[in-house]
Amino acid sequence: MTDRQLADLVRALVVPESDAAMWASLRTHTQARIGLGRAGSALPTRHRLELQAAHAAARDAVHSPFEPELVAAALTGVPTVRVRSAAPDRLTYLQRPDLGRRLDDLDRAHLPRGDWDVVFVVADGLSSRAVHEHAAAVIRATTSLLPGDWSVAPVVLAEQARVALGDDIAHALGATMVVVLIGERPGMSAADSLGAYLTYAPVPGTTTDADRNCLSNIRPPLGLSHGAAAAKLAALMGRARELGATGVALKDEFSPPPPLPVP
Amino acid sequence: MTTYTAALGGRSHRFDGLAALLAAASPERSGDRLAGLAAESAQARVAARWALAEVPLAQFLAEPVIPYEDDDVTRLIVDTHDAAAFAPVAGLTVGEFREWLLSSTADAGALAALAPGLTPEMVAAVSKLMGNADLVAVARKVRVVTAFRSTIGLPGRLATRLQPNHPTDDPAGVAAALLDGLLLGSGDAVIGINPATDSPKAVRDLLELLDGVIARYDIPTQSCVLCHVTTSIDLMERGAPVDLVFQSIAGTQAANASFGVTLGLLDEAHEGAKALGRGTVGHNALYFETGQGSALSADAHHGVDQQTVEARAYAVARRYDPLLVNTVVGFIGPEYLYDGRQILRAALEDHFCGKLLGLPMGLDICYTNHADADDDDIATMLTMLGVAGASFVICTPGGDDIMLNYQSASYHDALYLREVLGLRPAPEFEAWLERIGLLDDGGGIRDVAGTAHPLMTIGKELAA
């Protein structure tokens, strides 16, 4: 390392107070990683390691195995049933979205058919951590807000599951409506974010995202709280029942988040 | 349908039609496997390449991979093919074309003259016979120069898109990330924001913000809020300060329809942008993003492999003389490009094909957290694409996009690339950096932390 590079490094690590104050103030407006300083052209060591830590948390969230028994335990007194998608493992799941949308044939036979108004599906998705931390609480809070005449199917705990697996599950159970609580794709600042997708009268293979309503970023304390998510979900479910539809037909006064732009 | 065959490994391999042959010849990637188009074995893949090497380039004009009557992108490709420009290579096979491209005959002038004579399928085909080094060696010979308020694509230059995204489009949050990027010498290709919503009002607010910054500090660059083309058309009619009109595009009519886009709409947007005449040193006013896998994701690929469909998107792009085109190469996820190796290959292919077809090709060198990739893959891709002569790369603060939740190159990464390859910003922007005292003696970006630099003063005003 040259003297010049060393001087750069020291300067980058010891940002003068006035600058530090400026960046601290600017950071109140954005979580973006601004004002990181420099080590030559590169990032200072601390920031490089912080980025790696965030990436590691996200990677671990994607690859940590789903533990349905944790969710079942947190749902004491609520009947549950465990299923798997047709994707046998995480590697297949990541490369074959079609398999993650389809029930394993043996598991399909285990689902209790009935005259259910709604089934809650807990799906690992891309973050089992999000599901472990938030799914049971959201289900408890939501069911407590539903009128007494709703018949709620056993909660289905689904492994290697995508959102559309809920269509297959609802169809097999004979449920009118499905709520899929799924681990969202982890970002660098959120590895525990839960999404909720509501679909009325789903048909496997035909239902599309345009037929669903979505709540995103359920992640207290920074994101949506369990109680607020439950209130929105219960309200949406009531209106879906009146309207006999979800998706674009059910305009959401809660302004759903925009879909991710496709490249 | 023509049948193609090749003998390899003690057996004969057969491919029914050009689309199947191209797909089987493609390097391994998860998206082609998902679509059921990938070669059935490693030997079948090489057999397909033997067969492909023997196919005359002229065959691609005779056998469209998607029928002329079914798809307006095919019609665009066929109807605008320039036979005179094609003449120098009209007698070659795909294998011979690879060798011609690598030879000294194929210099910048020859490649520029040839571009209108090439179709996306020809370019995709030859890329499948090329190694990563071939893709670099040929692409770096191509020069595509475009301009608006800055000039993109000159030799020895690398431009950057400054991407100050914010999850709620908060103006102060956007301004803070924008300032951070300017201090690190970023933003000569475009200051481009992906808005959190497509509402005309929200987009207009962002446009006014960017226009204000560009005007106030007299920055020779252009802004873009990456909304849907219909929103831009609407805003242009209402007099909003639209520099570049953006749209995501794909390589088939049906995939474009899934984006809510038709060629007619793009024609209208192009006319509107030209009529505004907001450019100073040039009038290329469109900005396109593409990416392998989008047609498959929309169930609109017609049995064509994802790399060939991607090249077809470039035929759509070149119709509009865009200022910038980039592939968002690693954004789509592991079901299309599984890991860093597949993303790197796709990045090199997209850049090569775009450049050969005459586009000002840049990249969003990026990955998502569910793909098997990390910041070392970004470094590898950046370095190879820098050597390959990419027109621009996208940069975000610390490489972490907090709105789209993916990792891209950072402002620092662009500094690295300029430093190790001796690349400089767009000339107009470089002169501006010099004027405001951000350029150091070696042509790099001065570190102004702790000084009373005017931009730091802006930051302090913003922070107050």
Side-chain angles (χ1 to χ4, degrees):
Chain A
M1 187 181 277
T2 64
D3 288 353
R4 165 83 193 277
Q5 284 169 322
L6 188 64
D8 280 344
L9 181 64
V10 169
R11 228 190 9 248
L13 288 168
V14 189
V15 180
E17 198 173 281
S18 58
D19 283 6
M22 174 187 94
W23 289 117
S25 169
L26 292 176
R27 282 191 201 102
T28 61
H29 300 289
T30 180
Q31 291 206 296
R33 297 167 193 264
I34 56 173
L36 300 183
R38 286 165 57 174
S41 290
L43 284 171
T45 305
R46 180 165 65 92
H47 294 299
R48 178 166 161 70
L49 293 178
E50 276 176 3
L51 280 159
Q52 291 197 340
H55 185 238
R59 294 292 289 156
D60 286 348
V62 170
H63 290 281
S64 298
F66 178 40
E67 298 176 57
E69 60 278 7
L70 289 180
V71 182
L75 284 167
T76 334
V78 178
T80 59
V81 54
R82 291 169 58 168
V83 299
R84 300 158 58 110
S85 77
D89 53 45
R90 188 90 316 203
L91 188 73
T92 313
Y93 173 81
L94 288 172
Q95 298 194 62
R96 293 289 306 271
D98 54 322
L99 297 180
R101 296 181 191 122
R102 212 174 65 226
L103 266 170
D104 173 87
D105 286 334
L106 289 173
D107 288 350
R108 184 176 286 120
H110 296 159
L111 291 169
R113 279 198 72 82
D115 192 12
W116 312 111
D117 288 312
V118 64
V119 56
F120 288 91
V121 175
V122 176
D124 50 3
L126 288 169
S127 172
S128 49
R129 191 181 138 198
V131 169
H132 294 158
E133 290 179 16
H134 309 302
V138 172
I139 291 174
R140 286 183 165 292
T142 310
T143 47
S144 74
L145 296 172
L146 292 177
D149 64 331
W150 281 69
S151 73
V152 181
V155 173
V156 179
L157 309 174
E159 274 182 80
Q160 310 296 5
R162 292 189 183 251
V163 171
L165 187 72
D167 303 346
D168 205 1
I169 290 168
H171 191 73
L173 280 163
T176 309
M177 199 181 301
V178 58
V179 176
V180 178
L181 299 169
I182 190 163
E184 293 180 338
R185 192 181 89 195
M188 294 282 271
S189 50
D192 63 335
S193 189
L194 187 78
Y197 290 81
L198 174 69
T199 317
Y200 188 91
V203 182
T206 354
T207 298
T208 70
D209 288 344
D211 306 314
R212 311 186 197 284
N213 291 84
C214 166
L215 292 180
S216 183
N217 198 33
I218 302 167
R219 184 174 67 99
L222 294 167
L224 204 57
S225 72
H226 299 151
K232 290 183 180 195
L233 257 181
L236 277 171
M237 287 163 72
R239 298 213 341 270
R241 196 190 206 183
E242 287 164 22
L243 199 67
T246 47
V248 283
L250 173 59
K251 274 295 174 214
D252 179 3
E253 76 243 28
F254 311 117
S255 62
L260 263 188
V262 276
Chain B
M1 182 179 297
T2 315
T3 298
Y4 301 88
T5 56
L8 191 73
R11 55 163 289 204
S12 172
H13 298 263
R14 181 185 144 148
F15 308 94
D16 291 326
L18 210 40
L21 180 67
L22 286 165
S26 248
E28 170 73 29
R29 67 203 58 199
S30 47
D32 288 342
R33 201 150 290 291
L34 178 64
L37 297 170
E40 62 196 29
S41 68
Q43 286 190 78
R45 176 169 293 115
V46 179
R49 291 177 187 167
W50 279 108
L52 183 60
E54 298 301 315
V55 175
L57 287 181
Q59 179 65 19
F60 290 88
L61 300 171
E63 191 185 346
V65 293
I66 300 172
Y68 183 90
E69 46 285 349
D70 293 351
D71 185 274
D72 63 7
V73 179
T74 298
R75 291 196 289 276
L76 175 65
I77 292 165
V78 173
D79 295 349
T80 59
H81 182 252
D82 183 335
F86 181 55
V89 297
L92 302 182
T93 61
V94 179
E96 290 165 341
F97 183 44
R98 172 181 169 272
E99 291 170 354
W100 183 89
L101 286 170
L102 289 160
S103 76
S104 57
T105 312
D107 58 13
L111 290 168
L114 179 64
L118 295 177
T119 68
E121 290 82 359
M122 293 175 193
V123 173
V126 78
S127 81
K128 295 176 198 293
L129 301 185
M130 291 184 140
N132 286 3
D134 298 341
L135 295 173
V136 171
V138 174
R140 74 190 303 267
K141 295 195 284 188
V142 182
R143 280 285 140 232
V144 179
V145 179
T146 56
F148 192 80
R149 288 190 203 104
S150 60
T151 306
I152 310 296
L154 294 167
R157 308 275 176 174
L158 169 82
T160 53
R161 168 180 160 192
L162 195 166
Q163 184 171 297
N165 290 348
H166 189 280
T168 60
D169 294 338
D170 175 66
V174 168
L178 171 51
L179 171 75
D180 188 45
L182 289 175
L183 280 165
L184 290 165
S186 191
D188 45 347
V190 62
I191 300 171
I193 300 174
N194 299 86
T197 76
D198 213 281
S199 91
K201 182 180 182 322
V203 172
R204 184 165 192 151
D205 288 348
L206 289 171
L207 283 169
E208 304 273 3
L209 169 74
L210 296 181
D211 189 54
V213 170
I214 288 171
R216 178 172 168 190
Y217 304 106
D218 199 20
I219 311 172
T221 189
Q222 36 284 327
S223 73
C224 186
V225 177
L226 285 72
C227 59
H228 194 263
V229 63
T230 51
T231 307
S232 291
I233 290 171
D234 177 50
L235 286 169
M236 286 192 287
E237 284 168 358
R238 293 160 187 264
V242 176
D243 284 349
L244 304 184
V245 173
F246 169 81
Q247 184 55 47
S248 289
I249 53 170
T252 68
Q253 182 176 346
N256 283 323
S258 81
F259 291 158
V261 176
T262 61
L263 296 180
L265 264 178
L266 293 174
D267 288 347
E268 189 186 340
H270 187 212
E271 290 308 311
K274 275 195 306 201
L276 290 181
R278 292 172 57 87
T280 51
V281 293
H283 302 288
N284 304 104
L286 267 76
Y287 175 17
F288 294 115
E289 281 191 333
T290 64
Q292 289 189 28
S294 62
L296 171 58
S297 155
D299 200 19
H301 60 84
H302 295 269
V304 179
D305 71 271
Q306 69 183 39
Q307 190 251 332
T308 302
V309 176
E310 167 73 2
R312 288 168 53 95
Y314 307 154
V316 176
R318 73 174 165 180
R319 174 181 173 90
Y320 304 103
D321 300 320
L323 179 77
L324 307 165
V325 180
N326 69 263
T327 167
V328 195
V329 68
F331 186 72
I332 193 155
E335 58 270 56
Y336 303 94
L337 294 167
Y338 184 70
D339 56 12
R341 185 176 188 223
Q342 291 187 9
I343 299 170
L344 167 65
R345 174 70 197 188
L348 293 167
E349 288 165 348
D350 293 354
H351 176 253
F352 165 90
C353 290
K355 281 278 167 75
L356 226 50
L357 290 167
L359 291 177
M361 202 70 192
L363 297 102
D364 189 353
I365 290 172
C366 60
Y367 63 93
T368 58
N369 285 315
H370 59 321
D372 187 7
D374 62 21
D375 54 356
D376 286 339
D377 293 298
I378 296 257
T380 304
M381 284 192 263
L382 266 176
T383 308
M384 285 197 80
L385 271 303
V387 175
S391 295
F392 69 101
V393 292
I394 288 182
C395 300
T396 55
D400 173 14
D401 190 299
I402 58 169
M403 206 283 280
L404 296 176
N405 267 335
Y406 77 120
Q407 283 79 254
S408 186
S410 64
Y411 304 137
H412 296 75
D413 286 329
L415 293 182
Y416 149 78
L417 205 53
R418 284 173 176 164
E419 179 186 323
V420 297
L421 295 177
L423 298 168
R424 293 150 56 202
E428 302 82 357
F429 194 82
E430 187 176 45
W432 178 79
L433 290 168
E434 174 86 70
R435 276 203 303 280
I436 65 162
L438 269 180
L439 216 57
D440 70 20
D441 304 339
I445 301 298
R446 190 187 301 277
D447 187 351
V448 293
T451 68
H453 188 274
L455 283 182
M456 294 301 272
T457 315
I458 299 164
K460 290 181 175 108
E461 282 172 26
L462 270 172

